[in-house]
């Protein structure tokens, strides 16, 4: 059974997820400190978790950013959603389930960032390339490339209407 929850505190399921991320070499999700878990909450943000059979399989944060919000912050999944490859990235737990939560819970533009060179998990650079494809489909729009928190990142603006269409309504 798939369930999505907003997390405001550490749970045994979150601890197990973090431990698994550490084993997989996902540096940004290998500890609460690396995730900036409490800092995100203290600054008015939230964390979204997707559970499959009571186990967290995907996690991401949302926090205030510029004139809106940054979604999919520290986004991480243990494995992809079933169904194989997806031309619109809907095989990703967070892209499919967490963005609608971010849209619902916020009131302003939604930004997503991708690393351009620093790959703390071995998968971040592939994700950056994917967002260039999503931009061609007008699901996101490239805003700029900037250094954020000491790391060069591409900043993308979510086109909510096109995202919802690509998601299937």
């Amino acid at each position: 059974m798939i369930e999505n929850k907003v997390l405001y505190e550490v749970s045994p399921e979150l601890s197990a997820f973090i431990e698994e991320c550490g084993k997989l070499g996902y540096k940004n999700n290998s500890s609460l400190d690396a995730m900036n878990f409490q800092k995100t909450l203290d600054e008015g943000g939230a964390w979204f978790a997707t559970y499959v059979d009571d186990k967290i399989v995907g996690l991401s944060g949302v926090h205030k950013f510029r004139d809106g919000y940054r979604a999919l912050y520290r986004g991480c999944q243990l494995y992809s959603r079933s169904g194989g490859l997806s031309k619109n990235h809907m095989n990703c737990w967070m892209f499919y389930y967490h963005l609608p939560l971010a849209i619902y819970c916020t009131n302003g533009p939604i930004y997503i960032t991708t690393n351009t060179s620093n790959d703390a998990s071995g998968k971040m650079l592939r994700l950056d390339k994917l967002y260039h494809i999503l931009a061609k489909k007008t699901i996101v729009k490239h805003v700029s490339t900037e250094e954020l928190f000491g790391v060069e990142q591409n900043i993308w603006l979510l086109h909510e209407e096109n995202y919802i269409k690509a998601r299937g309504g």
Side-chain angles (χ1 to χ4, degrees), residues 90 94-100 103 138-139 158-168:
M90 297 301 166
M94 293 81 60
F95 200 78
Y96 187 80
Y97 286 114
H98 298 183
L99 277 180
I103 291 167
T138 67
I139 295 171
L158 181 67
H159 189 296
E160 291 179 25
E161 184 178 324
N162 291 352
Y163 164 77
I164 291 166
K165 286 179 187 173
R167 192 176 181 273

Side-chain angles (χ1 to χ4, degrees), residues 79-149:
Y79 57 88
S80 295
R81 291 179 65 231
S82 61
L85 293 176
S86 168
K87 65 181 179 177
N88 295 324
H89 196 42
M90 297 301 166
N91 60 330
C92 172
W93 296 106
M94 293 81 60
F95 200 78
Y96 187 80
Y97 286 114
H98 298 183
L99 277 180
L101 293 171
I103 291 167
Y104 179 77
C105 293
T106 61
N107 58 353
I110 294 179
Y111 298 92
I112 301 165
T113 62
T114 56
N115 290 359
T116 62
S117 59
N118 178 38
D119 197 338
S121 71
K123 298 181 180 183
M124 290 178 169
L125 299 182
R126 275 190 303 186
L127 187 63
D128 184 63
K129 289 179 184 178
L130 173 69
Y131 274 80
H132 288 276
I133 295 168
L134 294 174
K136 289 178 184 175
K137 297 174 181 233
T138 67
I139 295 171
V140 296
K141 176 185 174 187
H142 185 256
V143 175
S144 63
T145 302
E146 299 177 24
E147 187 172 303
L148 294 174
F149 312 107

Side-chain angles (χ1 to χ4, degrees), residues 3 6 12 31 33 50 63 66 72-74 82-84 93 95 100 114 116-117 121 139 142 148-149 152-153:
E3 186 178 10
V6 181
S31 72
D33 286 339
T50 298
H63 64 81
R66 298 188 172 189
L72 305 183
Y73 173 68
R74 292 293 198 251
S82 61
W93 296 106
F95 200 78
T114 56
T116 62
S117 59
S121 71
I139 295 171
H142 185 256
L148 294 174
F149 312 107
E152 185 175 87
Q153 298 186 46

Side-chain angles (χ1 to χ4, degrees), residues 5-62:
K5 296 180 182 178
V6 181
L7 301 181
Y8 295 105
E9 59 188 27
V10 179
S11 66
E13 296 83 8
L14 178 58
S15 296
F17 177 82
I18 291 169
E19 184 178 331
E20 189 64 26
C21 288
K23 290 177 187 174
L24 294 169
Y26 299 165
K27 295 175 186 168
N28 284 345
N29 300 82
S30 62
S31 72
L32 292 169
D33 286 339
M35 290 170 49
N36 295 319
F37 184 82
Q38 192 59 49
K39 180 181 178 194
T40 299
L41 295 174
D42 291 345
E43 294 177 357
W47 292 94
F48 304 127
T50 298
Y51 293 72
V52 173
D53 298 327
D54 298 321
K55 178 181 176 183
I56 296 176
V57 296
L59 180 85
S60 72
V62 62

